[in-house]
């Protein structure tokens, strides 16, 4: 679907005095399909998304496996659920770059001239990036299964684990949206994104489930780090163990991120686009 066809679909009918949430969602889904169509016609944009989980899984498994768990097979059962949390974070980084490129190309200026909800372009950008999340998780689990990973819980629990990761992913997408709106150019988006992604992912229990060997200050950070809670929740739901409050902490963090970043993103969008 081209940008012109999206504009015709969005501008059909007279604009209402007040756009309802239902109509806002419909506008957002229409623009989400635009983003998905772009990926369909430019599959090379998904190359990093496809290779990243394979590279990280192989690298961390064979570098840390023997040292952390004594064997790569045992470590794989704990590593892969943790990488679900890490990949949920890394998968959002391409969103900010794509958003920044659209702003520089004037695409969002055209959207602002349409009778659509003001938030629809950003909502469409976030929802359209769902395909990236699905590809990352499919490649990660598929390749991990080839290496010997197996789920040890029921299908409903496994589905709940990936649903939780998706909810957190959608929340973190709004941070990536902010980065895309703040960055002066598409080339600087990745650098700015790494500044906040790296401490959250590597300063967590993703790679080392037992954080008691860490320095006190680092262990304290991992305990409040939302990525640690997501990783522990996914581990419990996929390979067994106590879920505890990790699910509720993850959902609470996801809600807090959206509550804080969404209004800021809308204000930045009004100034930038």
């Amino acid at each position: 679907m081209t940008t012109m066809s999206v504009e015709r679909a969005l501008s059909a009918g007279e604009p209402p005095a007040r756009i309802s949430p239902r109509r806002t969602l419909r506008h957002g889904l229409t623009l989400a399909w635009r983003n998905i169509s772009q990926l369909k016609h430019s599959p090379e944009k998904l190359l990093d998304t496809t290779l990243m989980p394979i590279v990280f899984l192989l690298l961390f498994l064979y570098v840390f496996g023997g040292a952390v768990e004594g064997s790569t097979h045992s470590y794989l059962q704990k590593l892969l659920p943790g990488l679900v949390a890490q990949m949920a974070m890394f998968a959002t980084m391409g969103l900010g770059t794509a958003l920044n490129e659209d702003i520089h190309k004037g695409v969002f200026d055209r959207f602002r001239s349409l009778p659509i909800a003001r938030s629809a372009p950003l909502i469409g950008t976030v929802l359209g990036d769902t395909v990236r999340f699905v590809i990352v998780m499919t490649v990660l689990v598929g390749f991990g299964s080839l290496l010997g990973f197996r789920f040890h819980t029921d299908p409903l629990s496994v589905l709940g684990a990936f649903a939780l990761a998706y909810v957190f992913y959608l929340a973190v997408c709004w941070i990536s949206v902010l980065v895309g709106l703040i960055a002066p150019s598409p080339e600087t988006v990745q650098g700015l994104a790494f500044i906040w992604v790296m401490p959250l992912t590597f300063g967590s229990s993703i790679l080392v489930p037992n954080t008691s060997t860490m320095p006190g200050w680092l262990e304290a950070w991992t305990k409040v780090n939302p990525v640690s809670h997501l990783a522990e929740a996914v581990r419990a739901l996929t390979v067994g163990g106590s879920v505890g409050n990790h699910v509720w902490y993850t959902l609470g963090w996801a809600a807090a991120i959206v509550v804080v970043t969404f209004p800021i993103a809308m204000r930045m969008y009004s100034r930038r686009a």
Side-chain angles (χ1 to χ4, degrees):
M1 184 181 292
T2 63
T3 302
M4 290 300 296
S5 60
V6 170
E7 290 180 353
R8 287 195 294 269
L10 292 172
S11 59
E14 292 296 325
R18 180 180 180 274
I19 299 179
S20 65
R22 180 179 179 182
R23 193 176 180 91
T24 299
L25 179 60
R26 190 174 71 181
H27 292 163
L29 290 174
T30 301
L31 294 174
W33 180 249
R34 165 190 173 268
N35 294 338
I36 294 174
S37 298
Q38 286 183 329
L39 294 175
K40 178 181 177 182
H41 295 293
S42 303
E44 67 277 1
K45 293 182 177 180
L46 295 174
L47 183 61
D48 61 332
T49 303
T50 305
L51 295 178
M52 186 167 51
I54 296 176
V55 172
F56 279 154
L57 183 58
L58 288 175
L59 180 64
F60 295 145
L61 178 62
Y62 292 106
V63 170
F64 299 115
V68 176
E69 287 292 325
S71 72
T72 55
H73 178 74
S74 177
Y75 185 54
L76 178 61
Q77 312 308 311
K78 297 181 178 180
L79 173 65
L80 191 140
L83 287 183
V84 169
Q86 180 175 341
M87 291 300 100
M89 295 287 292
F90 275 85
T92 66
M93 294 175 63
L95 174 64
T97 302
L99 176 65
N100 196 280
E101 288 177 349
D102 278 349
I103 291 176
H104 277 80
K105 292 177 181 177
V107 175
F108 276 67
D109 289 332
R110 299 174 70 178
F111 289 157
R112 294 182 69 183
S113 66
L114 298 174
I116 62 175
R118 190 164 62 95
S119 59
L122 296 185
I123 293 175
T125 300
V126 171
L127 294 180
D129 212 57
T130 295
V131 65
R132 196 181 302 271
F133 174 85
V134 173
I135 291 175
V136 166
M137 295 304 158
T138 301
V139 172
L140 177 63
V141 174
F143 193 74
S145 298
L146 292 177
L147 295 177
F149 175 80
R150 296 294 182 268
F151 294 111
H152 299 287
T153 56
D154 58 275
L156 188 60
S157 297
V158 173
L159 182 62
F162 286 97
L164 181 66
Y166 178 65
V167 170
F168 190 77
Y169 162 82
L170 288 179
V172 174
C173 277
W174 288 102
I175 302 179
S176 186
V177 167
L178 273 179
V179 174
L181 291 170
I182 294 172
S185 65
E187 292 75 17
T188 60
V189 173
Q190 293 288 343
L192 292 175
F194 269 109
I195 293 176
W196 63 271
V197 169
M198 297 296 281
L200 285 172
T201 54
F202 290 102
S204 69
S205 62
I206 286 176
L207 302 179
V208 184
N210 181 15
T211 61
S212 61
T213 60
M214 296 180 179
W217 62 269
L218 183 56
E219 183 182 7
W221 163 249
T222 60
K223 289 182 179 180
V224 299
N225 188 342
V227 180
S228 292
H229 290 294
L230 175 59
E232 295 303 325
V234 173
R235 282 195 183 102
L237 292 170
T238 55
V239 297
S242 175
V243 177
N245 293 322
H246 294 302
V247 172
W248 299 115
Y249 276 119
T250 303
L251 292 176
W253 271 105
I257 290 171
V258 174
V259 168
V260 172
T261 57
F262 180 77
I264 298 176
M266 288 307 305
R267 181 173 297 182
M268 291 294 300
Y269 168 63
S270 298
R271 294 179 178 178
R272 181 75 187 273

